[in-house]
Structures are given as C-alpha cells and as structure tokens.
C-alpha cells in the first residue's frame, strides 16, 4: 500500500478505472480495424486469383461487372485448359523433382558442416560460420552471369540439372547457418556421455545427436524445398525449353502467348501452387525467422 | 600357422585403433565434415563471384566470353549509361521507400497481432501468404490486379467516384475509367508490391521481438501508470531496436537484390522508370548478351550488401554478449 501511494506521488496522471476501460475498448476497436485492413491487403490478390480461376471469359472481360463475385455461373474450363493444353503438370513435376534433389544435396553438405561448425573448431568455427552467413547474403542476381557461363560450359543449359547443381548455393549456407544454431543448443554433455558409453565420436553423433536434431533437420528439409520453389532468376536464365521449366517460369512465360493472356488459367496455376507451399511454409515460419535473424531474436 | 597370425592381427588392431583415433580426433573430423560444403561453396559461389568481378573489368560478351585483358572501360561505359544511373537510383529509392514504410506498418501490425483474439491462426495464415508464396506467382496476381482495363482496383475506384465511368461521371482523380497502374504510376505500384511481399516477414520478426520483452517491464510501466503511447515509444521501441534494425536490413537485402517483381510486372518499363540494378543487369547480360556490362551493373550491389552484412553481424554479436 505504501508503495502504491509513493508511486502516485511520482506520477499524478493515472487515468481513472473508467477512463482506462474506455481506452481499452478503443484500443480493441482500433486493433480490429488494423488487423482487418492488413488481412485484406495481404490476402486480396489471392482471393482475386481464386475467383478468377472459375470465371468465364464473358464474365471476366466486362469492366462493368463486379469483379469480386460470379456474375455468370463458374466454369472449370480454365483448369482444363491449364492441364490439357499446357505443360503445367510437367512444370509441377520438374519443380518437385528439383526440390527433392536439392533437399538431398543440402542435407548431405549442410548437416556435417553445421555440426562441425557448432562443436568442433572453436574460434575458427565461429569465423567460418560468419563466412557462411555472408555467402548466404550474396544474391543470385549478383552471380547469375558467371553462373550462366558455368552452365553453358558444363553443357547443362536447358536442363533441370543446371538448377539442381546451382540451387544448393543458397540452400547450403542458409541451412548450415540454421542447423549450426540448432546444434549449439544441444548440450555437449550428452555427446560426452555417449563417448563414455563406448561410442566413437562419430557413432555418438549419428546415434545420439541426429535424433535430437530431428526438428532442425525437418526445418531444413522444408526450407530447402520452398526456397527452390521461390527461386526465379537462375531458372529464367538457364532454362528456355518448355518441358524443362519450373513452375514459376512456366506460368509467367507460357500462359502469355503474344498478346493473348490466359488470365484465368494463369491465376489458377498460381493459386494451385501458392496455397500448399504457403501452408507448409507457415508451419515452420517461426524457425525460419529465428534462423536468419542470427539469434538476435529470442522469442 | 600360429607364428603368422599374431603379427597380422596386431597389424589389424593397430590399423583399427589408428582409424578410431582419427575418428576421435577433433580436427580431422571437423575438416572432413566441413570439406564437402566448403568445396561446393568455393566452386559455385567463390569462383563465380570472382568471375563476376573479372567480367566487369573485361569486355566479354556472349559471343566472345573470354576475358582478354582487364580495364576500367566497362565501368566507364556503365557509369555513363543514363539507364544505369536511373536503375541505381530506382534500386536505392524503391528499397528505402518500401522498407521504411514496411518497418512502420510492420510495427503497427505486430502490435495489433500480439493480443489473442478468436481466429488468430487463420488471420496469421492470411497475412503470411504473400511471403510464403513464390514471388513470381504473387507478382502475376498483382499483374492482373494492375491490368490497364480490367483492374479490380479501378472497379472499386469507379464505384466510389475516384475515377470516371466512361464519360457519364467525372472522377475525383481522373475522368478516365482506368488508372493505368503500370504506366505513369509504375514506381508506386512496384513499391506497393514490395511492401506487400516483405511485410509478413518483418511482422513476424517484430512479433518475436515484442514477445521477448519481459513481462515485468510491461507490468512496471503499467503500475507506474505510464500511458500506452509513452510505454510504446520510451520502453518498447528502445528495447526492440536491434530487432527492428534486423527486420529492416533483411527487407533491404531482399528488396534491393530482387528482380522478379520488376520482371513480371513491367520489365523495367519502356521509359525505364521502374528499371532496377538487378533487372537491368539481367536484360543487359543475358538478353543482350553483354556479359561484362551486365556483370558490372550487378556488381554495384556488392558494396551495399557487404555493408549491410557487417551491420547485421555487429547486431548479432552485441545481442550474444548480452
């Protein structure tokens, strides 16, 4: 009690309880408005893509029609066009195949590297870790010109293997960095215990550390996969044969034929990819953020 | 028989123990584990990076890609190119405008999302969609939103009287029925998509920051009767300043080096009003086949990136010490 009165002496402007309730209500209303505004801003293009997917030409191409509802009954023709008359299914297949291949390469390279950086090399390890981070920040838009030379020299132009070769340049540094933080959080004592129990250092890592690092590994799998789905410039620069294209490139280049835009099919092509990728990504987002904010965020 | 086996087994044992010792030896194990990743990165990041720098001092083209000699000619040509200067200006301008607004908006949104409310996970999912969707796909959605005739934004504007309706009504902004978002307003439209794309990421980072503020600090402010705004600006913001900076810097890196939004929406515009370094480098280096000038254009991103990386690492180190 005595403390409270002394506080009152320092700060005479305490709002009355009634006033505070009004403030809180106002804040709740404001909160709702803010959230509604941003949700619409973020999701609006997706709603638009979804509804355009099922619109007929006559409905879509009339400026006076309300664009947000079906003025004519919805149709599946646009989806049929997408799957029957374009290489859409092939592009999805290519994207998934590349994704899986890149995930495997990334795991092979990043897991041992991350462990070594987290545990074994002390001061040098720290500096190498920083270097990894710097490598991650070098963007494809800086490297694509020499990279396209490399691809030509290797004879991989117009082949999905060019992307499988090159994509780990951004997944490996990022995933090494992410896993490094993850492995640092596993106490070294557990490993020592394993050594005491008769495992070699290597055996200890495989049988004790890997199972503990499983959530980290899963995160790496998801992010390597989605990062390859997001990539654009290498895919644009290296591959121009339709059957070897990935989804981002196929959709943005082949559904526009000259001046003819197959808008509904483009929108459906987009939304079909966007939703599943977004859902997977969403589940792991907090780890992703923690991964590239260098532990500056502890939440 | 009995005389030959012991040395063999001894030899085997010795070899085995040497193997074990090697597997136990920290340095050996560490380098063996690091080596594959390091070799890969040196070959496919290190060498291309050096090649990019060499290209920009050469006169290599797609037709004759050899680096014959090094000179500053390419840089001279690039610097004298008005389109390059425009792109550099646009890159910097677009990035600063979009990321500065993003930090403000991200803070507002993060603050609003901190409290629990029904359906929060769904709202979060919707808000995160732009960041989780492949950027080319998101951009193509916007390309249609910005359509010169059928833009749904224009439709709304016509309904509320901001635009005219084919002669029968005079709009507040213009009597024409359309805005032509990717024409005259190209830079604005591009910046809007960049904000749209980066906002989810900065919001999530900022939310992580906000939830890391200890409850007793907030309680203390409440007990002291400090108002919401004062708490926000004098307690919250100073506490999460490093995290705001991290969100801003990552936003800058992603935006500054992006060419996808530009490529899908405008291809830089016919008057280059939305051309940026990354897209111009692409059109010059790959479409135009001028490897040296393309590389020299892209290389201008390097000092900016290095500077940003340094600041990020400094923040990281400081927060680790704490």
């Amino acid at each position: 009690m005595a403390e409270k009165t002394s506080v009152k002496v320092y700060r005479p402007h305490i709002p009355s309880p009634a006033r505070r309730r009004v403030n809180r209500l106002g804040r709740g209303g404001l909160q709702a408005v803010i959230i509604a505004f941003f949700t619409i801003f973020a999701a609006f293009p997706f709603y638009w893509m979804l509804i355009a997917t099922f619109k007929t030409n006559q409905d879509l191409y009339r400026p006076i029609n309300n664009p947000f509802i079906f003025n004519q009954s919805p149709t599946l023709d646009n989806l049929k066009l997408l799957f029957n008359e374009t290489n859409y299914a092939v592009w999805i297949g290519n994207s998934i195949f590349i994704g899986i291949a890149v995930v495997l390469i990334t795991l092979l390279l990043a897991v041992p590297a991350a462990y070594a950086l987290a545990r074994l090399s002390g001061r040098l390890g720290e500096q190498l870790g920083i270097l990894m981070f710097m490598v991650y920040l070098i963007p494809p838009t800086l490297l694509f010109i020499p990279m396209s030379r490399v691809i030509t020299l290797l004879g991989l132009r117009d082949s999905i293997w060019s992307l499988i070769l090159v994509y780990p340049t951004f997944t490996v540094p990022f995933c090494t960095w992410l896993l490094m933080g993850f492995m640092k959080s596993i106490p070294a004592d557990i490993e020592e215990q394993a050594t005491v129990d008769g495992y070699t250092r290597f055996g200890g890592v495989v049988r004790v550390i890997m199972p503990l690092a499983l959530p980290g590994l899963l995160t790496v799998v998801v992010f390597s996969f989605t990062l390859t789905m997001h990539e654009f410039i290498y895919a644009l620069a290296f591959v121009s044969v339709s059957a070897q294209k990935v989804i981002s490139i196929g959709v943005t280049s082949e559904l526009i034929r000259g001046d003819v835009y197959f808008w509904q099919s483009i929108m459906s092509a987009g939304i079909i990819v966007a939703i599943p990728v977004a859902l997977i990504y969403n589940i792991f987002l907090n780890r992703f953020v923690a991964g590239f904010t260098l532990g500056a965020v502890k939440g | 028989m009995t005389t030959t086996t012991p040395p063999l087994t001894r030899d085997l044992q010795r070899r085995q123990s040497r193997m074990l010792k090697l597997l136990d030896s920290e340095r050996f194990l560490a380098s063996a584990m690091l080596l594959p990743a390091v070799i890969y990165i040196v070959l496919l990041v290190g060498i291309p990076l050096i090649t990019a720098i060499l290209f920009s001092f050469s006169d290599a083209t797609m037709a004759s890609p050899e680096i014959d000699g090094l000179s500053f000619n390419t840089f001279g040509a690039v610097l004298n190119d008005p389109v390059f200067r425009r792109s550099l200006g646009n890159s910097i301008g677009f990035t600063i405008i979009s990321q500065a607004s993003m930090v403000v908006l991200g803070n507002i949104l993060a603050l609003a999302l901190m409290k629990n409310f029904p359906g929060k996970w769904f709202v979060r999912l919707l808000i995160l969609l732009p960041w989780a969707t492949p950027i080319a796909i998101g951009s193509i959605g916007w390309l249609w939103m910005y359509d010169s005739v059928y833009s749904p934004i224009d439709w709304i504007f016509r309904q509320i009287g901001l635009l005219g309706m084919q002669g029968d009504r005079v709009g507040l902004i213009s009597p024409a029925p359309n805005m032509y978002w990717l024409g005259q307003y190209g830079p604005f439209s591009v910046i809007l998509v960049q904000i749209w794309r980066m906002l989810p990421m900065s919001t999530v980072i900022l939310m992580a920051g906000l939830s890391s503020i200890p409850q007793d600090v907030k309680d203390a402010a409440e007990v002291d009767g400090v108002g919401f705004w004062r708490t926000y600006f004098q307690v919250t913001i100073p506490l999460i300043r490093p995290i705001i900076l991290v969100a801003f810097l990552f936003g800058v890196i992603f935006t500054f080096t992006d060419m996808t939004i530009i490529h899908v929406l405008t291809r830089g515009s016919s008057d280059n009003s939305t051309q940026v370094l990354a897209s111009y480098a692409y059109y010059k280096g790959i479409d135009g086949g001028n490897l040296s000038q393309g590389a020299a254009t892209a290389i201008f991103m390097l000092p900016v990136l290095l500077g940003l990386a340094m600041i990020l690492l400094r923040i990281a180190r400081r927060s680790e010490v704490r």
Side-chain angles (χ1 to χ4, degrees):
Chain A
M1 210 56 220
E3 263 177 40
K4 263 209 169 151
T5 41
S6 73
V7 167
K8 258 189 183 164
V9 173
Y10 288 125
R11 314 242 178 236
H13 293 301
I14 296 180
S16 70
R19 165 90 199 164
R20 236 192 270 177
R21 216 170 302 133
V22 169
N23 278 352
R24 204 169 299 154
L25 261 176
R27 228 180 286 150
L30 188 65
Q31 185 196 18
V33 170
I34 290 171
I35 289 174
F37 173 79
F38 281 109
T39 310
I40 291 170
F41 177 51
F44 184 72
F46 297 100
Y47 171 72
W48 176 236
M49 288 164 97
L50 189 65
I51 203 158
T53 299
F54 301 104
K55 277 200 174 199
T56 57
N57 274 337
Q58 297 91 312
D59 187 353
L60 193 71
Y61 296 121
R62 272 193 82 196
I64 57 161
N65 277 358
N66 183 338
F68 306 109
I69 55 169
F70 290 108
N71 301 285
Q72 293 184 1
S73 49
T75 170
L76 288 175
D77 288 354
N78 308 310
L79 287 172
K80 281 185 197 140
L81 177 108
L82 183 65
F83 281 97
N84 294 339
E85 287 171 45
T86 72
N87 277 331
Y88 187 64
V90 177
W91 303 329
I92 291 191
N94 285 344
S95 284
I96 292 176
F97 181 76
I98 292 171
I100 292 172
V102 171
V103 165
L104 291 178
I105 295 174
T106 306
L107 284 177
L108 275 177
L109 295 178
V111 173
Y115 176 76
L117 289 178
R119 276 295 142 75
L120 293 164
S121 2
R123 174 118 190 93
L124 184 72
E126 191 186 313
Q127 279 163 350
L128 280 170
I130 289 171
L131 208 65
M132 271 303 169
F133 177 70
M134 302 283 260
V135 171
Y136 172 64
L137 290 185
I138 299 173
T141 38
L142 191 64
L143 296 179
F144 68 94
I145 287 176
M147 217 65 116
S148 104
R149 286 298 306 151
V150 172
I151 294 303
T152 308
L153 291 176
L154 292 174
L156 291 177
R157 187 160 285 279
D158 283 332
S159 149
I160 56 172
W161 291 99
S162 63
L163 303 179
I164 294 174
L165 178 73
V166 162
Y167 282 177
T169 53
F170 52 83
T171 58
V172 167
F174 174 69
C175 292
T176 306
W177 179 265
L178 196 137
L179 274 176
M180 189 175 86
F182 208 88
M183 292 190 171
K184 271 184 187 163
S185 71
I186 300 171
D189 300 357
I190 298 182
E191 244 174 295
E192 272 157 37
Q193 192 56 50
T195 330
V196 172
D197 290 348
Y199 286 124
T200 58
R201 189 77 188 237
F202 183 72
V205 169
V206 171
R207 304 229 180 114
V208 181
I209 300 302
M210 285 305 145
L212 283 173
L214 207 60
L217 296 179
L218 201 58
T219 312
V220 164
V221 168
V222 169
F223 285 125
S224 310
F225 192 83
T226 45
L227 282 176
T228 63
M229 285 282 197
H230 282 227
E231 207 285 328
F232 188 76
I233 190 168
Y234 288 145
L236 183 68
F238 299 165
V239 179
S240 48
V241 175
S242 178
Q244 300 281 314
K245 281 183 180 172
V246 295
I247 198 81
S248 286
I249 305 298
V251 170
T252 50
S253 67
E254 298 216 355
L255 292 172
I256 301 166
R257 294 183 194 153
D259 282 344
V260 185
Y261 285 62
F262 294 95
W263 275 118
Q264 297 100 314
S265 301
I266 296 176
M267 295 300 118
S268 54
I271 204 88
I272 291 171
V273 179
I275 298 300
V277 174
L279 282 173
I280 311 173
Y281 205 89
N282 217 333
I283 302 169
F284 289 83
L285 196 99
N286 287 339
R287 285 223 185 92
F288 182 62
V289 168
F292 67 37
T293 51
L294 321 123
V297 179
K298 283 172 191 139
Chain B
M1 262 313 242
T2 40
T3 47
T4 46
T5 16
L8 242 178
T9 23
R10 215 183 304 140
D11 192 41
L12 205 73
Q13 266 172 352
R14 209 182 304 140
R15 210 178 298 165
Q16 212 170 14
S17 74
R18 206 182 307 145
M19 272 286 284
L20 283 176
K21 216 173 276 169
L22 259 180
L23 280 181
D24 271 333
S25 137
E26 302 221 327
R27 283 213 164 269
F28 172 78
L29 203 54
S31 19
M33 289 175 126
L34 265 174
L35 210 57
V38 168
I39 291 175
Y40 177 85
I41 287 173
V42 167
L43 285 180
L44 278 159
V45 180
I47 291 179
L49 184 62
I50 292 166
T51 317
I53 296 169
L54 288 179
F55 267 150
S56 56
F57 286 101
S58 73
D59 56 1
T61 57
M62 216 70 114
S64 65
E66 300 81 22
I67 297 170
D68 304 323
L70 301 180
S71 72
F72 280 97
N73 294 346
T74 305
F75 273 113
V78 166
L79 285 170
N80 275 325
D81 177 0
V83 182
F84 166 79
R85 289 202 293 251
R86 182 104 200 233
S87 309
L88 183 64
N90 282 345
S91 278
I92 296 172
F94 291 1
T95 305
I96 291 176
I97 295 171
S98 68
Q99 297 318 298
S101 359
M102 189 205 68
V103 164
V104 175
L105 297 174
N107 266 300
I108 296 174
L109 182 57
L111 211 56
L113 283 173
M114 279 311 281
K115 262 198 223 138
N116 281 322
F117 54 89
K120 188 175 171 181
W121 73 269
F122 186 65
V123 165
R124 202 185 94 135
L125 174 73
L126 291 179
I127 286 176
L128 289 173
L129 270 178
W131 172 248
T133 310
I135 180 61
I137 307 276
S139 303
I140 206 141
W142 278 97
L143 182 62
W144 181 221
M145 303 253 299
Y146 286 148
D147 190 87
S148 56
V149 180
Y150 304 106
S151 161
I153 311 175
D154 289 354
W155 186 84
I156 298 175
F157 277 22
R158 281 195 297 271
Q159 301 304 311
I160 58 177
L162 291 180
L163 286 174
M165 219 183 276
Q166 254 105 4
D168 65 339
R169 214 200 295 172
V170 184
L172 276 176
I173 297 179
S174 115
N178 290 100
M179 288 288 286
Y180 307 108
W181 292 99
L182 295 176
Q184 184 188 353
Y185 300 104
F188 169 81
S189 305
V190 165
I191 290 172
L192 189 68
V193 178
Q194 279 166 344
I195 296 174
W196 175 81
R197 147 101 165 140
M198 293 308 293
L199 189 63
M201 190 211 62
S202 80
T203 306
V204 173
I205 296 180
L206 292 169
M207 278 171 75
L210 285 176
S211 60
S212 72
I213 296 176
Q215 188 60 40
D216 49 351
V217 175
K218 290 182 229 165
D219 289 345
E222 180 126 0
V223 166
D224 287 355
V226 182
F228 172 77
W229 293 110
R230 248 189 96 193
T231 315
Y232 185 67
F233 283 107
Q234 297 189 352
V235 180
T236 311
I237 295 247
L239 275 175
I240 61 166
R241 194 180 293 137
I243 286 156
I244 295 179
L245 202 56
V246 166
F248 178 73
L249 293 177
F250 268 106
V252 167
I253 290 170
F254 281 117
T255 315
F256 191 67
T257 62
D258 178 73
M259 62 112 27
T260 314
I261 295 175
I262 300 288
H263 181 75
V264 172
L265 289 182
T266 65
R267 313 241 155 157
S269 303
S270 49
D271 61 350
N272 290 304
S273 61
T274 56
Q275 197 72 265
V276 294
L277 282 183
S279 59
Y280 192 49
Y282 183 88
Y283 300 134
K284 235 180 171 154
I286 301 288
D287 290 352
N290 195 332
L291 297 177
S292 57
Q293 292 204 7
T297 305
I299 224 75
F300 273 86
M301 293 190 280
L302 195 59
V304 175
L305 289 170
L306 277 178
L308 295 173
M310 291 298 176
I311 304 173
L312 274 171
L313 285 167
R314 184 166 290 179
I315 301 170
R317 193 157 312 147
R318 229 185 303 149
S319 66
E320 243 167 65
V321 170
R322 229 199 300 138

